Amino acid sequence: MIPPQIAIVLVNAISLDRQCRTSADLLQPDRARHVEQSFADGGIACGARLSYVGAGFTNTGKTVSMTAFNRILAFDPDAGTVDVEAGISLGKLFGFLIEQGYELPVQPGYPAISIGGCIAGNVHGKNHAREGVFGAHVRELTLFHPSHGHMTCSESSNADVLELTIGGLGLTGVILSARLEVVPLGGAYVRNRVDAVDSLENLFERVRQSSLESDMCYGWFDLTRPKNKSSHRGLLVRAERTQEPAESTQPRWQNRLKTSAREWRRRQIFSRITLPSVNALYRYKSLHTSQSQLIHLFDFLYPAYGKESYFYGFGDAGFIEQQTLIPIGAESEYLSAFWSLLERHEPCIALTTVKSFAGADGSYLSYTGTGTSFTVDLPANANSREFLASLDQINIDVGARSAILKDGRISAGSVRRQYPEYGKFKAAIDAFDPKRQFGSELSRRLEL
Ligand SMILES: Cc1cc2nc3c(=O)[nH]c(=O)nc-3n(C[C@H](O)[C@H](O)[C@H](O)COP(=O)(O)OP(=O)(O)OC[C@H]3O[C@@H](n4cnc5c(N)ncnc54)[C@H](O)[C@@H]3O)c2cc1C
């Protein structure tokens, strides 16, 4: 039973991409015992609710926010670990660690993202080819599930539950705390290098090479005029650590992507008419103002910070992102099919980015392996959906997989065909929790 001290607030839950909207009973406990009571009948845990899709809320059970649990519990530089509560944000932990001369080896691109969200999504950063996914650096976690109680999960204890919880989309229960690996800080500032690249094929190649040589690397490409090949131009962005002195080691920041802001009505700014100029300006500024600039590590790690208006530029209809891991060796087959689709559908593509991945294929539904991670963002409309439905088929044909935490419209059928361990994941969750007490709008769409 939910204790009277915990308010249940009926909220409009809207995913960041705006493709999933529902009402949700939100609970925000701030005492450990209230967390257990909040989850007495299951539900779903959420962190900052910054997932593009409806992963962190449900309208069939309770949505329980863990953001009040944001303490650093222990720091052991000799062991190279930090213990934290799962609701702590990356930005808060960054501020603590940088002062100790340490950092997390893998970080996704926004400071308000929670550690619970990083574990449950098994997220990646801009250095996958070197450091892999977030889950590879989780030494231990504490999980609570009403049927199993508190479980300490590590390689030596409940290893199967650890594996199922990392990338498990919150379906194994609530992560209360975690012991994470930390590494000595490579430098508080990075030297940011930006180079022009003339084709997407070259960008794939150069991102792959540079990811092994640079500390962090990604590619950006302009596809706003799909049929006009001469407008297709990209940027290779690389960062090298530097030991140059930092004036301030702990930048001040605040979450500018709060879920409440998603309720405001927004006009659509991004369109076929405006996007070419937006992209041309971005490219010009990147090449001319930051070609070889010294920037704070915070700004490089979290590039979306300060650019939040991007997410609102798509208006009320929102956007759809497809992030695809193209296996090594399949890039040219993928790209030739991609160019044909571009000719046929002429989609309006707002943003295209490229990262290089290296390592073994992930277990269950984790988005990891060796290849090129290729991301496109499109305004949500019928033409984009048709284009992406055709891309789903290409992904299946070439053995690529879409990141399920990013794509707000991919179907259970496509995920089943892209992820060989889809059935194994579902069976493992069913075995762990036969009553299936945890679920989200995402898990419902994907029939998990
Ligand atoms: C600007 C921006 C940039 C991003 N960049 C990247 C990137 O570079 N790489 C990348 O991989 N991703 C990236 N993401 C996606 C983001 O890392 C993931 O969606 C992450 O899961 C969001 O964490 P959150 O705290 O907002 O979690 P939520 O959205 O609240 O929840 C996400 C999932 O985690 C589960 N969860 C959260 N907390 C807990 C808990 N305590 N116990 C159990 N389950 C829990 C939820 O149930 C849900 O399934 C980005 C997102 C944004 C908005």
Side-chain angles (χ1 to χ4, degrees):
M1 203 174 94
I2 310 290
Q5 298 93 320
I6 311 175
I8 303 179
V9 185
L10 185 69
V11 294
N12 283 328
I14 307 174
S15 57
L16 189 66
D17 67 2
R18 304 179 86 84
Q19 302 316 297
C20 181
R21 297 159 195 240
T22 186
S23 53
D25 283 337
L26 180 69
L27 281 70
Q28 296 181 286
D30 57 3
R31 303 209 173 169
R33 66 175 189 283
H34 291 169
V35 172
E36 292 164 27
Q37 291 160 331
S38 302
F39 282 108
D41 308 318
I44 194 73
C46 69
R49 281 191 288 147
L50 282 173
S51 293
Y52 288 27
V53 300
F57 55 84
T58 174
N59 82 349
T60 56
K62 302 283 180 281
T63 299
V64 183
S65 169
M66 294 300 289
T67 47
F69 300 92
N70 61 4
R71 290 177 306 165
I72 292 155
L73 303 170
F75 173 59
D76 184 344
D78 295 332
T81 58
V82 66
D83 291 15
V84 292
E85 290 180 324
I88 194 172
S89 64
L90 288 172
K92 181 172 175 188
L93 188 51
F94 176 92
F96 169 80
L97 289 175
I98 201 168
E99 291 197 341
Q100 317 301 319
Y102 283 82
E103 62 182 307
L104 293 180
V106 172
Q107 302 205 48
Y110 199 70
I113 291 169
S114 75
I115 294 301
C118 290
I119 298 173
N122 202 8
V123 300
H124 59 268
K126 283 168 265 309
N127 54 355
H128 186 289
R130 286 186 170 196
E131 299 290 349
V133 270
F134 195 90
H137 307 279
V138 176
R139 296 256 182 102
E140 186 179 296
L141 58 83
T142 312
L143 185 75
F144 174 76
H145 186 285
S147 304
H148 298 277
H150 288 84
M151 299 179 85
T152 301
C153 307
S154 67
E155 253 184 37
S156 55
S157 164
N158 298 311
D160 52 338
V161 184
L162 178 74
E163 194 188 1
L164 197 57
T165 301
I166 293 176
L169 305 169
L171 301 181
T172 56
V174 55
I175 303 161
L176 301 174
S177 62
R179 176 165 298 159
L180 308 173
E181 217 172 278
V182 294
V183 290
L185 184 68
Y189 275 61
V190 297
R191 172 91 38 207
N192 188 35
R193 285 205 48 188
V194 184
D195 291 304
V197 179
D198 58 3
S199 75
L200 195 51
E201 285 77 0
N202 273 347
L203 188 61
F204 273 33
E205 187 54 40
R206 292 196 61 191
V207 168
R208 186 173 324 121
Q209 279 168 8
S210 305
S211 293
L212 298 172
E213 294 153 11
S214 310
D215 288 326
M216 285 172 280
C217 170
Y218 63 92
W220 172 94
F221 204 76
D222 184 359
L223 283 173
T224 49
R225 282 179 287 176
K227 280 198 155 171
N228 180 354
K229 277 225 161 190
S230 67
S231 73
H232 294 179
R233 288 173 302 188
L235 300 170
L236 175 70
V237 184
R238 286 172 285 177
E240 300 299 345
R241 299 313 184 92
T242 136
Q243 294 300 332
E244 284 166 71
E247 293 143 27
S248 149
T249 52
Q250 197 176 161
R252 297 168 78 84
W253 64 275
Q254 55 178 305
N255 183 6
R256 296 186 183 145
L257 283 173
K258 283 213 168 97
T259 46
S260 50
R262 289 175 211 164
E263 290 179 32
W264 302 351
R265 291 198 69 76
R266 311 260 181 192
R267 286 188 58 177
Q268 184 173 347
I269 295 162
F270 293 155
S271 68
R272 280 181 200 286
I273 315 279
T274 56
L275 277 168
S277 311
V278 173
N279 271 252
L281 185 66
Y282 177 78
R283 184 173 180 278
Y284 180 85
K285 270 186 72 183
S286 303
L287 277 172
H288 292 90
T289 58
S290 54
Q291 199 166 16
S292 182
Q293 210 185 24
L294 200 59
I295 60 171
H296 199 281
L297 182 59
F298 181 96
D299 297 319
F300 193 85
L301 286 175
Y302 313 126
Y305 187 71
K307 302 186 188 81
E308 293 82 356
S309 52
Y310 169 77
F311 295 102
Y312 302 123
F314 294 95
D316 285 339
F319 66 98
I320 307 173
E321 178 163 307
Q322 191 180 83
Q323 184 169 52
T324 305
L325 182 55
I326 308 161
I328 190 100
E331 286 95 343
S332 34
E333 190 188 350
Y334 176 92
L335 280 178
S336 85
F338 179 80
W339 292 127
S340 310
L341 278 190
L342 229 52
E343 282 277 321
R344 189 164 357 123
H345 294 271
E346 289 188 63
C348 174
I349 299 183
L351 178 79
T352 310
T353 58
V354 178
K355 290 177 184 168
S356 179
F357 275 32
D361 279 357
S363 60
Y364 297 132
L365 300 181
S366 283
Y367 181 76
T368 184
T370 298
T372 301
S373 176
F374 179 55
T375 304
V376 285
D377 282 9
L378 302 93
N381 58 38
N383 185 47
S384 300
R385 285 175 184 275
E386 273 174 37
F387 168 70
L388 292 171
S390 306
L391 259 189
D392 287 341
Q393 187 53 49
I394 291 171
N395 290 339
I396 293 163
D397 294 344
V398 306
R401 47 177 73 170
S402 296
I404 59 184
L405 259 187
K406 296 286 170 65
D407 189 332
R409 43 101 253 155
I410 195 166
S411 67
S414 292
V415 172
R416 196 177 286 121
R417 292 168 74 194
Q418 291 179 16
Y419 284 81
E421 296 203 355
Y422 171 97
K424 194 174 154 197
F425 176 76
K426 198 163 146 44
I429 296 279
D430 286 345
F432 179 70
D433 179 11
K435 288 198 252 164
R436 294 307 307 267
Q437 295 165 78
F438 287 78
S440 62
E441 295 305 300
L442 173 70
S443 67
R444 198 146 53 131
R445 169 163 55 85
L446 298 185
E447 297 168 15
L448 288 169

